[in-house]
Amino acid sequence: MNRRSAVFAFALGLAFVSAPRLSLAAEDHVAEAITHTKEAISTGKAGHADQLVAHAKAALTHAEAAEKAKANPHVAEGITHLKAAVEHGEMGHADIGTTHAEEALKHLEMAK
C-alpha cells in the first residue's frame, strides 16, 4: 500500500506540474491561429486565393494543435471553418474562403 501511495502521489504531482503548460501551449497556438487567420482574411479580401490557402493552412495547423492540447468547442468550430476556407481557396473562391476565415476568426477569438 505504501508503494502504491508513493506512485500515486508522484503521478498526481506530475499532472499538476504539466497541466499549466498544456493550457499555455493551447493559448499560444490559438494566438498563432488568430494571427494567420487574420492574414488569410486580408489576402482573401485582396483576391489572392493562393495566399488565403497558405495562411488558412498555417492557422489550421495551430488550431488543431490547440485543440489537441486542450479541447474547446470554439476552437473546434474554428477548425471547421478553416478547413472550409482552405477548400474554397483551393478552388479559387477567395470570397467564399474569406467568409469562412472570418467565421473561424470569430470562434478562435472566443476561445482566447
Side-chain angles (χ1 to χ4, degrees):
M1 184 72 175
N2 195 12
R3 186 174 189 179
R4 283 185 183 176
S5 297
V7 170
F8 178 74
F10 176 75
L12 189 61
L14 186 61
F16 281 124
V17 170
S18 64
R21 289 187 195 143
L22 291 177
S23 179
L24 291 177
E27 290 175 17
D28 289 346
H29 282 298
V30 170
E32 283 296 317
I34 288 171
T35 299
H36 283 289
T37 302
K38 287 179 179 178
E39 286 297 319
I41 292 167
S42 176
T43 57
K45 284 183 177 181
H48 302 290
D50 57 333
Q51 290 298 311
L52 177 139
V53 170
H55 285 291
K57 283 183 176 180
L60 182 58
T61 299
H62 283 288
E64 289 173 335
E67 182 68 10
K68 185 177 178 183
K70 184 179 179 186
N72 183 306
H74 290 296
V75 174
E77 188 65 23
I79 289 170
T80 300
H81 284 288
L82 286 170
K83 286 180 179 179
V86 169
E87 182 180 330
H88 287 283
E90 287 176 339
M91 290 188 280
H93 304 151
D95 54 342
I96 299 170
T98 301
T99 301
H100 281 289
E102 289 170 335
E103 283 299 312
L105 181 61
K106 289 177 189 176
H107 288 283
L108 292 171
E109 287 178 336
M110 284 190 260
K112 266 179 104 173

